[in-house]
Amino acid sequence: METTIPAMILPSLLITCFFSILLISMTATATAETAVKVSTTPIFPEIPLGQARKDFQVLLRVEAPAAAEARAPIDVVAVLDVSGSMSDAEKRPSRLDLLKAAAKFMVAKLDDGDRLSVVAFNDRPVRELSSGLLYMSGDGRRNAMNVVDKLEARGGTALLPALEEAVKILDGRPGDGRNRLGFIVLVTDGEDTSRFSWSERRWEMIHAALCKYPVHTFGLGAAHDPEALLYLAQESRGTYSFVDDENVDKIPGALAVCLGGLTTVAAVDTRVVLKAAELNGVRIDRVDSGGYDSSVSCGGTSCEVAVGVLYAGEAKHFVAHLHVPAASSVEDGYYCDLAACDRHRRRHEQHLLAVGYSYSHRPGATAITVEGHGVFVQRLPELLGGGRQAALLVPSPVVLQHIVRFELLEVVSGLDHGELVTSKDRAHAGELLQLRWEEFRACHQFWGGLDLSVVEKEVDAMVSSLTTTRGTAAAAYVHAWVSTHRMQRATSMGSPERAVAEFLTPAMRLMLEEARKLPLLLQAQAETTAAGVLQHAVGSAGCAELETIDRRLELWSKVKRDVQHLLFQPSAAAAADGEEHLAAVFHEASLEAIDRAMHRDIYLAAVFASKQRRCDSVAGK
């Protein structure tokens, strides 16, 4: 019996087979570095013997692997504002239209093992427009698209009841569902119009719950409350982003930056432990850690930094401040490397810190503990042989840069949020920030090797925003800057194009690039529909076609995940032959081709489902 393959399925099967063969051939030679790494850099490599250092800084760098090791599926609750302000009859597309496009982008980009819940809200959670957790495969992905399609705008805005609903959904996961990472994504365009006060007992009740799930907040336009959204993000160790009125059409891009991180979690429960060398009199005074918890215990002999979740390809930096006492001789508890002492008899190393850390690849997995390494510093006599003076010590530029970042973060965070309400107060806050920056720069002008040009541009942008921008956008920019640098994570600062480049991971850049193409894709789909091409397909489609699309989407998700998690490391000979560049180009082209195919199938599924609903409605009558 002869079997025929439908024409609409054949190209997908051929491409899928091609990618499968390619992956099998490359898996033998491709390796993924999946270990978290911690490294240290002291501010000075040497300290004169007779000198005490009351504030000796050591930079800690916590680096996530470039690729996640078979990442665990995630649960995302999208809390979406459908208040009346989201629909403007005079503007097309409206904010609600753009929010729907962004939500569909999220549905398309989550893997088939991930789950998504939609909580629509206005002055209350709108349950008839919401859904529970849906798997992003088969009917689940299509049902999520249908939920998004049904969103309509009406009513006021009440944030906390919607957040309570999101927490209930994540808390209510049965069994092994609690071993999945849970995230909340909140998108709103207005202030809380309810009479609820943030200081009431109800906020106290939800506060503890929010600490369990990061809340990534997004403000749209000039009417949202940046202070409230920043507060929610900070309390939950999430991030705050916003898009201004000129860039509301870039809502998908803002979500893409966040989603690029959530879908590439490489490590969880990451912790760094520092132990001071007690015998040498070294003491840990504090650790600058921004939005990450750090605690010094046992009289300064121990410290722990709770880093938590790490996205693939990102790095976190922290600055430990130590008290290092003076020493009268090289016998005071120092470690001397014998080989080094043979060459330089007056050069000795002092042990300052022992660094250890632990992490897991996914929730519920066995923790990986690494003993780490020691931090040492050379102790020199102030006078060398022949009475020569020791060379002037030069601080590490990279350590200085991060010290400056943390000090500036403290200055900007210290601005009175109440001064950012009226234009007059914002202008005063801008002048105050400019004055503090000039004082800060004067204090650090003699730090050798320190380049403040990049930081100065960021300060100038904040001052300009405070003194010239109308509405809440001025405060929003400052708050987004604070969120970015507290969490050392990219956020949309008025536009996703203004995200701090050093915090954008490769996955975030790729996701953002895909979001930029979304308007063109939507336009092409609209033109295709207008031409009647898809309508003809819909007319002849039924359950069999929907099942075919579902199976194809599952295949695309698997192939994409396999391609995305491969880290190609060709040999030196292969790199010399240009194969490394070829692999990178092919890798990017492959992901782009898969995304185009998935977008097409998701759109077809939504159209088929819409047609099916209309047919069911007619049949019901």
Side-chain angles (χ1 to χ4, degrees), residues 31 119 153 165 191 306 309 324 348 463 497:
T31 59
V119 175
E165 185 69 18
E191 290 189 65
V309 169
V324 181
H348 290 70
V463 171
E497 316 298 335

Side-chain angles (χ1 to χ4, degrees), residues 75 115 133 169-180:
D75 291 337
R115 295 188 296 189
L133 287 168
I169 290 172
L170 293 175
D171 277 349
R173 293 174 294 175
D176 61 354
R178 291 179 176 272
N179 287 330
R180 301 163 65 98

